[in-house]
Amino acid sequence: FPTRIPFEDIHGRYAKLMGEEVVRECGDDPAAFCEAIAIACEVSNRDYALGLTRLFLKAGCGAFLEDLATMDPSTVVPLLIEKIAQSKRKRAAATILGYRLLGWWHAKRFKQHREAAAVA
């Protein structure tokens, strides 16, 4: 991914164009804003990746940011609000899934140790 753009740059540049509703829905999460913009502009998952502080794009895939500046905010805002909410749900589900998987692994390991101790 040769193009690397900090989340704050994208959020600072395009949040004011999208209006108060989108900024309120994002809260203080520029990553959710960037992901929602990429999804709303129909950028393929293979063409971008989200890092901890940056949006990584493949070569030539940054054109959607210029297209976003020319789009009518009245059509983009409802779509972005929906995508931001979807992004928040996805992140929350990933956290829950991670904790559940970790709990399952610890339980499995505990059972193995308990069975090994019972044999010995």
Side-chain angles (χ1 to χ4, degrees):
F1 296 102
T3 305
R4 299 175 176 115
I5 306 169
F7 292 144
E8 290 80 19
D9 289 351
I10 296 171
H11 187 265
R13 181 180 296 169
Y14 295 104
K16 58 187 170 215
L17 296 175
M18 296 300 116
E20 185 65 31
E21 298 163 345
V22 174
V23 175
R24 187 172 6 126
E25 192 67 34
C26 279
D28 292 334
D29 191 12
F33 181 78
C34 293
E35 183 177 19
I37 286 177
I39 292 170
C41 293
E42 298 177 356
V43 178
S44 173
N45 288 343
R46 295 177 303 234
D47 293 336
Y48 76 95
L50 295 173
L52 295 176
T53 60
R54 296 177 186 261
L55 175 68
F56 298 92
L57 298 166
K58 286 191 176 178
C61 294
F64 77 93
L65 294 172
E66 281 77 30
D67 295 341
L68 182 68
T70 61
M71 293 172 104
D72 183 24
S74 64
T75 59
V76 176
V77 169
L79 182 61
L80 280 178
I81 289 173
E82 176 188 335
K83 296 299 182 180
I84 290 168
Q86 180 183 6
S87 173
K88 284 182 178 181
R89 287 191 305 270
K90 187 169 85 171
R91 285 178 185 253
T95 302
I96 291 169
L97 184 61
Y99 284 129
R100 295 249 179 168
L101 183 62
L102 186 61
W104 170 81
W105 182 77
H106 282 295
K108 179 182 173 186
R109 193 165 163 220
F110 175 76
K111 287 177 187 177
Q112 288 173 346
H113 286 290
R114 187 175 60 190
E115 289 171 359
V119 171

